[in-house]
Amino acid sequence: MVLKDDNSEKSLELFLSIGLDERTARNTINNNKVTANLTAVIYEAAVTDGCDRTTGNLLYSVATKYPTNALVHRPTLLKYIVTSKIKTPAQLEAAFAFFANTGPEDFKLNEFEEACGVGIEVSPEDIEKAVKEIFEENKKTILEQRYRTNVGELFGHVRKCLPWADPKIVKKLIDDKMYELLGEKTAADNEKPTKKKEKKEKPAKNEEKKAVVEATPEPSEEELNPYSVFPQPEQNFMVHTEVFFSGGSVLRCSNSKKVLDKHLKVTGGKVYTRFPPEPNGYLHIGHAKAMFVDFGLAKERGGCCYLRYDDTNPEAEKEEYINHIEEIVKWMGWEPFKITYTSDYFQELYDLAVELIRRGHAYVDHQTGEEIKEYREKKMNSPWRDRPVEESLKLFDEMRRGMIEEGKATLRMKQDMQSDNFNMYDLIAYRIKFAPHPKAGDKWCIYPSYDYAHCTVDSLENITHSLCTLEFETRRASYYWLLHSLDLYMPYVWEYSRLNVTNTVMSKRKLNYIVTNKYVDGWDDPRLLTLAGLRRRGVTSTAINAFVRGNGITRSDGSMIHVSRLEHQIREELNKTAPRTMVVLNPLKVVITNLESDKVMELDAKRWPDAQNDDPSAFYKVPFSRVIYIDQSDFRMKDSKDYYGFAPGKSVLLRYAFPIKCTNVVFADDNETVCEIHAEYDPEKKSKPKGVLQWVGESSPGKEPLKVEVRLFEKLFNSENPAELNDDWLTDINPNSKVVVSGAYAVSTLKDAAVGDTFQFERLGYYAVDKDSEPGKLVFNRTVTLRDSYGKGGK
């Protein structure tokens, strides 16, 4: 979040007081995390009234670099800094390394001081002596290279001898010594060195290939195993986050040894994750990434992953969505350890809410939704915030029993209305809704919020890794504050970047709108990037998972991934799995005049490009007869050198068949529309035309080929990011995103194709049989075209 102006000015004043230059200070207040860390460090170090610049720079380094697994020891380090026992960057870096290895465990001060050079004074004379010795050892090289000498290496030699030397003094003495030895720089010293060009013999081709292979960098550990970034369950004793309160205090959330041991006993030390979708719509490709992270980590570590329905909003939830989610999770290749619902824990959640009130951490509020919003914006406490605990307990019980009207009361967590994090502004824990629940029925009329239930159920299910996207990062404070307030086990939280793909929307609200208002043909419309839509379009789950894996699961920014990158992965998969066949979208009749009218030849066509001739299953039969059909787009009246299609007097090769030459063109009554072409075929195949066309022939004289419907899909939205258009996003829908071709011709072998079967229509693209197919009427969806733009601006 962006800090309010008044807070920004206070922070700027505080940061300037410790000696930061104004530019650094202003850049800092634009980063909430660093601002919060630096503010906490300044208060911990008790230098709110200011300090010298050297100390301030060291404090800034602590705020940005200190190891989070050892936050409990940070106050100790700060004492050493403000008393100038640690006063150089080298000492500070040594301290960071020491604490990173120590973690939250106890340590001996003498070992710490020894590791950081505390008390060691390095005089200018000591440094001068070391510099002199280094120059004596390297004098010959320095005289040869003069001012092209790598001064960094000389600096490194001195620091190796005297690790706690003041780097500024070291640098000055080296510069002085260079001048003493070499004098003023000459014109030659300022010239750039010229590289000698050596004529190299061309390596043999096999040597070139070998060199390319050798130059290929080894894949990183993260590429080999994207889950390597996650810690093991037994490491879950670290400080997960720091909650900075407006009063200056800091809550450091971590599991005690007792709590962690109890957790590990229940889980057996295994990884436990959860995939927690809301059953208020169909899953989209962003959820594929969440599944890859949640189920994938559990599988990689031999652990367990729950499929947990976050069913806390009964008005938006449907049984249809619940059934879809379970089905699509399995289609994506994931097997839940157990299927649970947040509603399974409604009683435990209620009991914990009562305990939260008893501990003084929650209260019943009577503000309306608008009033709550207004008070939050003004950072004002609710008038009912300090009501007695017993009164809140009584009112909460009345809420549960249906004695208070909907909208007249909520249970709110008593957090910190003055915090810089708006997710600490007394979030709602329970609200009244007189709506039946799809699973719990009419048992409850109060329902927990996401902010209250999510972290609590994570703890109840002993989740080891609570993984979510980066927009939830600001909720960490609330997540851990609640678990800390109830003394519950705390999972390890880790956020990763969202999967955003161009030319689509992935907001559930927007998806629901265009589905409900029939801008598309349902949740599984092939133009949507819902997983059901992708499956219907002919995309495989393995292609989707490969696409997700290729994008990684790091905390990098969630920038848009171009849709061509997804299409590239789909082609990679279908090129290996989709058999070839021939289809003509817009048929144009061709009469082979030098072939007998009753003659039909059965020719072999390849299902796979690399099929071996002795493998009969890799071939299918196509009839070559007097009447065949090519696509209208493959014929034109005017020929040219760069045109490889059919034209008057020109020859083309029919795929798997013979060359044919256009001998006559028959026009319709308007004398413009071509309705029939006459051609002669070359039975000896002596001609070698460049153009190759797909075609479909009549299986017997006068018998029409297999007629099919083909649906050609393009991007649903014209803009790469329609969400940026705000209220105008619907105007960006591409009116040509779906084109239906009802009279296409296909080879007869396709007549037995089943729903979901995928094919490569030669020269056209990859297609899948749609669920709208009926006996005698096949419908094909275009999955992707053959042309791949990935790597040409599409990465």
Side-chain angles (χ1 to χ4, degrees):
M1 63 173 285
V2 178
L3 290 168
K4 305 289 184 185
D5 289 341
D6 55 343
N7 287 335
S8 297
E9 289 305 314
K10 288 178 183 176
S11 296
L12 180 61
E13 186 180 339
L14 183 64
F15 297 163
L16 292 175
S17 75
I18 64 167
L20 293 190
D21 63 79
E22 187 168 348
R23 184 178 178 184
T24 302
R26 289 195 181 278
N27 286 340
T28 299
I29 62 176
N30 288 327
N31 186 317
N32 289 347
K33 189 171 182 181
V34 177
T35 295
N37 282 348
L38 184 54
T39 303
V41 165
I42 292 170
Y43 275 93
E44 275 181 22
V47 291
T48 51
D49 293 331
C51 63
D52 63 85
R53 185 169 188 170
T54 301
T55 302
N57 286 336
L58 294 177
L59 295 179
Y60 185 84
S61 294
V62 173
T64 54
K65 297 182 180 179
Y66 189 85
T68 55
N69 67 325
L71 284 171
V72 66
H73 301 311
R74 192 168 70 181
T76 301
L77 175 60
L78 295 176
K79 287 179 185 176
Y80 274 77
I81 292 172
V82 296
T83 57
S84 296
K85 291 181 179 178
I86 287 180
K87 53 189 176 183
T88 68
Q91 286 181 298
L92 192 58
E93 290 295 334
F96 292 160
F98 178 87
F99 285 128
N101 292 325
T102 303
E105 303 298 324
D106 292 335
F107 66 94
K108 294 178 180 177
L109 274 178
N110 62 322
E111 292 178 356
F112 165 69
E113 291 184 352
E114 184 181 347
C116 301
V118 174
I120 297 176
E121 294 292 336
V122 182
S123 68
E125 291 75 22
D126 293 331
I127 300 173
E128 188 173 4
K129 181 182 176 185
V131 169
K132 187 177 179 181
E133 290 174 356
I134 297 299
F135 267 73
E136 286 298 326
E137 290 173 14
N138 296 276
K139 187 174 181 180
K140 184 179 178 183
T141 304
I142 295 170
L143 288 171
E144 286 177 358
Q145 298 181 354
R146 291 184 58 77
Y147 283 102
R148 296 193 186 98
T149 302
N150 188 335
V151 177
E153 285 186 7
L154 300 177
F155 189 90
H157 288 311
V158 177
R159 289 295 302 278
K160 192 174 181 182
C161 301
L162 302 172
W164 313 121
D166 187 323
K168 291 180 181 177
I169 297 176
V170 174
K171 178 68 167 61
K172 184 179 183 306
L173 287 173
I174 288 176
D175 289 344
D176 290 347
K177 197 68 179 173
M178 288 286 286
Y179 183 80
E180 180 187 324
L181 187 62
L182 304 174
E184 294 284 353
K185 278 188 178 182
T186 65
D189 290 324
N190 293 321
E191 287 179 6
K192 289 184 179 179
T194 54
K195 292 181 181 178
K196 290 182 181 178
K197 291 183 180 179
E198 294 181 9
K199 200 172 182 181
K200 292 183 181 178
E201 291 184 11
K202 259 193 173 181
K205 282 189 177 179
N206 60 340
E207 288 178 358
E208 280 185 353
K209 288 180 182 177
K210 185 180 178 184
V212 170
V213 172
E214 287 174 353
T216 303
E218 288 292 321
S220 66
E221 184 182 2
E222 190 180 313
E223 288 172 321
L224 293 171
N225 178 10
Y227 308 106
S228 61
V229 296
F230 300 116
Q232 296 294 344
E234 61 269 19
Q235 293 175 284
N236 202 356
F237 54 80
M238 297 178 286
V239 173
H240 293 287
T241 199
E242 292 178 304
V243 182
F244 300 98
F245 290 98
S246 54
S249 61
V250 182
L251 170 64
R252 295 186 175 86
C253 302
S254 62
N255 289 312
S256 66
K257 188 175 186 305
K258 182 180 177 182
V259 168
L260 182 59
D261 287 347
K262 182 182 176 183
H263 158 78
L264 292 172
K265 188 175 181 181
V266 173
T267 63
K270 285 186 175 182
V271 163
Y272 273 63
T273 60
R274 81 290 171 271
F275 173 58
E278 296 177 64
N280 60 356
Y282 277 38
L283 303 185
H284 53 64
I285 196 165
H287 293 103
K289 181 171 184 176
M291 281 188 258
F292 181 81
V293 177
D294 292 319
F295 285 102
L297 173 61
K299 184 177 181 181
E300 193 268 338
R301 299 279 176 91
C304 309
C305 182
Y306 289 91
L307 166 56
R308 184 209 302 158
Y309 292 100
D310 180 21
D311 57 341
T312 58
N313 187 8
E315 294 169 321
E317 294 156 10
K318 294 181 183 178
E319 195 69 32
E320 172 195 353
Y321 301 147
I322 292 173
N323 295 336
H324 155 74
I325 290 170
E326 185 174 346
E327 177 201 353
I328 214 74
V329 165
K330 289 183 178 177
W331 176 73
M332 285 296 296
W334 306 115
E335 191 63 41
F337 153 67
K338 193 176 180 182
I339 297 175
T340 60
Y341 298 77
T342 297
S343 56
D344 294 339
Y345 303 93
F346 274 177
Q347 187 60 54
E348 290 97 321
L349 291 171
Y350 175 80
D351 293 340
L352 286 168
V354 171
E355 180 61 23
L356 198 65
I357 298 170
R358 284 199 183 111
R359 295 185 179 201
H361 296 312
Y363 61 97
V364 172
D365 187 20
H366 298 297
Q367 288 183 302
T368 64
E370 282 301 312
E371 287 171 335
I372 290 175
K373 181 182 177 184
E374 180 188 349
Y375 273 54
R376 280 167 61 90
E377 287 174 352
K378 294 178 179 177
K379 302 178 79 167
M380 292 168 55
N381 289 345
S382 162
W384 288 277
R385 194 174 198 265
D386 296 319
R387 74 188 328 158
V389 166
E390 291 304 319
E391 191 177 322
S392 281
L393 287 171
K394 178 177 178 295
L395 288 166
F396 189 50
D397 181 60
E398 291 176 359
M399 286 172 61
R400 180 185 64 83
R401 290 189 286 148
M403 297 171 64
I404 300 178
E405 289 180 44
E406 191 169 320
K408 296 295 184 181
T410 58
L411 181 70
R412 293 180 67 184
M413 296 179 264
K414 191 184 288 188
Q415 296 168 304
D416 185 3
M417 289 295 293
Q418 307 305 312
S419 172
D420 288 332
N421 184 341
F422 66 93
N423 281 305
M424 288 293 287
Y425 292 176
D426 289 11
L427 298 177
I428 292 173
Y430 270 87
R431 68 272 198 225
I432 302 167
K433 282 186 181 290
F434 292 106
H437 189 276
K439 192 166 184 292
D442 295 321
K443 184 178 179 181
W444 297 90
C445 63
I446 58 171
Y447 294 100
S449 67
Y450 171 89
D451 293 292
Y452 173 77
H454 180 69
C455 57
T456 314
V457 178
D458 274 356
S459 182
L460 293 174
E461 288 188 337
N462 275 289
I463 299 304
T464 59
H465 299 72
S466 179
L467 309 171
C468 54
T469 47
L470 277 170
E471 68 264 31
F472 291 97
E473 186 173 19
T474 56
R475 298 187 188 219
R476 267 198 193 196
S478 171
Y479 184 104
Y480 285 118
W481 173 89
L482 180 56
L483 296 182
H484 175 86
S485 298
L486 290 168
D487 293 324
L488 295 176
Y489 156 77
M490 301 178 189
Y492 169 78
V493 173
W494 198 84
E495 301 91 358
Y496 53 90
S497 61
R498 285 183 57 148
L499 179 58
N500 296 310
V501 182
T502 62
N503 303 96
T504 191
V505 292
M506 287 195 283
S507 152
K508 282 269 192 78
R509 180 182 61 81
K510 288 180 177 176
L511 285 171
N512 189 54
Y513 186 88
I514 59 177
V515 169
T516 304
N517 291 280
K518 302 190 183 304
Y519 286 89
V520 292
D521 304 323
W523 283 98
D524 65 347
D525 188 298
R527 290 168 289 180
L528 297 177
L529 291 195
T530 58
L531 295 175
L534 288 167
R535 177 172 63 174
R536 185 175 175 186
R537 190 161 175 158
V539 179
T540 64
S541 59
T542 48
I544 296 170
N545 282 326
F547 168 68
V548 170
R549 186 185 186 104
N551 286 299
I553 55 174
T554 63
R555 285 172 55 85
S556 60
D557 68 76
S559 56
M560 284 280 177
I561 304 298
H562 202 280
V563 69
S564 62
R565 192 165 173 178
L566 170 62
E567 291 173 348
H568 168 78
Q569 194 63 58
I570 295 168
R571 288 186 190 91
E572 288 283 296
E573 172 91 11
L574 291 178
N575 188 48
K576 301 169 188 171
T577 60
R580 275 61 170 167
T581 191
M582 292 195 292
V583 172
V584 173
L585 295 182
N586 298 293
L588 175 60
K589 185 178 180 180
V590 178
V591 179
I592 310 297
T593 55
N594 61 336
L595 186 66
E596 296 89 335
S597 59
D598 60 346
K599 186 172 183 178
V600 178
M601 299 182 218
E602 292 289 330
L603 305 178
D604 284 330
K606 288 183 176 182
R607 286 193 172 92
W608 308 104
D610 301 323
Q612 299 298 315
N613 291 332
D614 58 354
D615 180 7
S617 67
F619 293 84
Y620 65 95
K621 297 291 184 181
V622 290
F624 180 73
S625 55
R626 184 178 174 83
V627 175
I628 66 159
Y629 295 87
I630 64 171
D631 201 283
Q632 291 177 17
S633 63
D634 284 328
F635 179 83
R636 69 188 190 193
M637 290 299 296
K638 195 171 183 180
D639 195 12
S640 63
K641 287 183 179 180
D642 58 349
Y643 176 61
Y644 294 105
F646 212 21
K650 187 173 183 177
S651 295
V652 292
L653 176 64
L654 298 177
R655 185 79 162 138
Y656 307 118
F658 305 94
I660 60 171
K661 183 177 182 179
C662 178
T663 56
N664 187 39
V665 179
V666 179
F667 293 96
D669 292 340
D670 60 8
N671 290 323
E672 290 184 6
T673 305
V674 176
C675 59
E676 186 176 303
I677 295 172
H678 294 173
E680 292 181 356
Y681 87 108
D682 175 8
E684 303 298 324
K685 300 183 181 180
K686 291 179 180 179
S687 57
K688 304 292 181 184
K690 291 181 179 180
V692 180
L693 308 183
Q694 84 276 18
W695 57 279
V696 175
E698 291 183 350
S699 56
S700 60
K703 185 178 181 182
E704 186 181 55
L706 178 67
K707 186 178 282 188
V708 298
E709 179 180 305
V710 179
R711 296 172 180 173
L712 307 176
F713 296 109
E714 294 289 346
K715 299 173 182 68
L716 182 57
F717 290 89
N718 291 313
S719 301
E720 290 195 352
N721 189 4
E724 287 182 340
L725 301 174
N726 299 319
D727 293 340
D728 295 326
W729 65 281
L730 286 169
T731 64
D732 192 52
I733 289 179
N734 176 10
N736 301 312
S737 60
K738 177 182 177 182
V739 174
V740 177
V741 179
S742 56
Y745 281 158
V747 294
S748 58
T749 51
L750 282 179
K751 68 181 186 301
D752 298 322
V755 174
D757 286 352
T758 56
F759 301 90
Q760 185 196 105
F761 292 178
E762 296 209 36
R763 297 182 64 239
L764 297 177
Y766 296 96
Y767 293 76
V769 182
D770 188 73
K771 68 176 186 178
D772 288 345
S773 297
E774 299 172 356
K777 187 197 174 185
L778 282 172
V779 178
F780 288 91
N781 295 326
R782 182 168 68 190
T783 311
V784 283
T785 59
L786 288 179
R787 180 171 292 181
D788 191 346
S789 61
Y790 178 63
K792 298 176 182 177
K795 285 191 181 182

